[in-house]
Amino acid sequence: LWAAAMRAGLRFANLAQTVTRYRRHAGSHSRQTHEWIVTKSAEVRRDVAAMLFPQMSAAEQQSLVDALTRLIGGGRRWVDGVYAMARAVALAPAVPGIAPDWLIAQMQAHLLRMVEHALSRKLIDYETLESMTEGNGDFERWRMAGGGALDRDIMALVAAHA
């Protein structure tokens, strides 16, 4: 429903106040059809990624969805997820109807959670992050944007886990 509304041009906003409540209990439909909901949610996320970032390949869109919907451990999927997020940040000014600064801030906060998660489990280290930065221009530009604010935040996490 939400994705269809976005495609139709409906605009959304984050509100500070609660405007609706959702109640779940053992007999609720969402509990009884959990697997179906998980499958449909993944489909919606892929559709939204394709709608917002048509310039990205299907593989990049899937990596973005994977990175944003679960904390991926280390390895190639993690790297691909970070690169897809960096590409989405680079494309943010071209996304219609979404404030680029807001989108970039959301991506940055999520990336820092991913880095924290991977560092705390020793799935990545300083060398991995530096190699990734040297290997991807979008990630390098993102880390250096705003006077290197993201880079400083990442390095603070690395130092905290050294």
Side-chain angles (χ1 to χ4, degrees), residues 94-157:
V95 176
I98 297 179
D101 292 342
W102 177 86
L103 181 57
I104 292 167
Q106 298 305 307
M107 292 285 191
Q108 184 165 321
H110 190 75
L111 175 68
L112 292 172
R113 286 190 298 272
M114 286 177 65
V115 169
E116 169 72 28
H117 175 82
L119 285 168
S120 69
R121 287 158 182 78
K122 302 199 182 316
L123 301 170
I124 62 166
D125 56 17
Y126 171 80
E127 287 78 20
T128 303
L129 290 164
E130 289 306 303
S131 174
M132 288 174 62
T133 302
E134 293 168 5
N136 185 277
D138 288 332
F139 189 45
E140 181 175 20
R141 283 185 291 280
W142 187 19
R143 282 184 70 168
M144 295 302 115
L150 178 58
D151 187 61
R152 282 190 300 281
D153 290 344
I154 289 172
M155 289 298 97
L157 290 173

Side-chain angles (χ1 to χ4, degrees), residues 79-99:
V79 171
D80 289 345
V82 170
Y83 286 169
M85 290 174 64
R87 179 94 194 280
V89 165
L91 296 170
V95 176
I98 297 179

